[in-house]
Amino acid sequence: MRISGTSDALCFSDQGIISWCRFAADVAELRIRISAASHICNLLTDRYEFMVGLAAAILNEQDTILPAAAAPQAIRAALADAPHPLILGGEPKHHGPFDSLVGLPKGDPATAEDDIFSELNTSTTQIHVFTSGSTKLPERRVKDWPTLVGGAAVTEEILRKLDVGPGTTAILGTTPHQHMYGLEATVFLSLGFGHCAYRKPIFYPADIEIAVADARACGFEQAVLITSPAHMKFFEAALLENPEIRAIVSATAPLTYAQAERLESRGDLAVMEIYGSTETGSLAIRRTVDGNVWQPVAGFELSETSEGVLATAPHLSEGCFLGDAVDLLPDGQFSLLGRKGDMIGIAGKRSNLSALNAILLETPHLLDGVVLRRQTDADDQLAIVAVVDPAKGLSKEG
């Protein structure tokens, strides 16, 4: 099967390209193996296998559960109300009392349906994702195929602006696809818009070099990296040294102007950011070096109400209030002031933890670090936890 106007390549690895026909066959075979389950908990780390598991559950009208973390307690909490769930992937410690299937069966492409995309594209089978729980316990949010494709349209908008098409470009991802951002910007970018995604996880700088080599071997002329600031600090050198990577898309936290400027100094590399949340999905974009103004896309509109800023879009069943403080601009754009719960007071001045953490991570010879806050009746009290390069230490200038 093919999405009109795109290539027939869905995923790739060092084993070559996987076609939509292969995908349809594997989905058909898996549907039979999982048919007895009430819910599917998809822990598969291989991006292609995850897609197969997701599509099979949707076509079987089985809800998919994507826990907030792979910790056994997080899985148990996510499956608490499922009468007979089945876990795909994971390790024995993740399975507990639940049935599991680790190795996925292979189907026969010769007997696969010609087109399963239209059935997937109109499905309203539920996909359960969870908030990160960074400020409180993770909360369940229910999505479906049209909603997640709508969120992936934000990433597609970035690629369209950069003249990046699915036929010649490989999508590399560092963010787990059980996470809302990774789910939209890699999995549904492929399933909904025909881009070809790298099936293997990327954790280390060397993984980027391997992924680029695999993409080149599969005939891709360029690549886009879907990532986050948490990874970018360690990937910078590898990104500058691999000219095949023509664009970087970052989300989950603000990226510093300084790092974006260093990366774009290569001359042929665009650094873009996505703003969104688990509740809304991806909703706005900016080019980091252009400043702090965000442009809502994919039909999103923001409006000020007595309860806060409300985000609406055609693919959302209802409006969602933003968890961040924003400054709405007359032309529909906005500037991001910071997470409401992260706003802090220092010597009578207002700032936010995200901005301070971004500044901290630019400190020379600092491998990692975080700013912590304790609220008081007067000003907030702050502490810094830092990991310093033992070979260099921190200078007074740093």
Side-chain angles (χ1 to χ4, degrees), residues 162-187:
L162 298 175
D163 197 27
V164 172
T168 61
T169 304
I171 304 300
L172 317 179
T174 71
T175 304
H177 36 262
Q178 282 82 5
H179 183 279
M180 185 66 178
Y181 165 50
L183 182 64
E184 287 184 339
T186 60
V187 168

Side-chain angles (χ1 to χ4, degrees), residues 7 25 35 40 86-87 94 97 114 120 125 150 180 218 235 255 289 305 315 349 353 362 372:
S7 72
S35 60
I40 303 300
L86 174 70
I87 295 178
H94 300 133
D114 290 336
L120 289 170
T125 302
M180 185 66 178
C218 289
F235 288 162
L255 191 63
V289 297
T305 75
H315 62 273
K349 297 182 179 181
L353 286 178
E362 283 297 309
L372 304 176

Side-chain angles (χ1 to χ4, degrees), residues 30-42:
L30 183 60
R31 289 183 64 181
I32 300 170
R33 294 286 298 274
I34 66 175
S35 60
S38 64
H39 296 69
I40 303 300
C41 178
N42 196 331

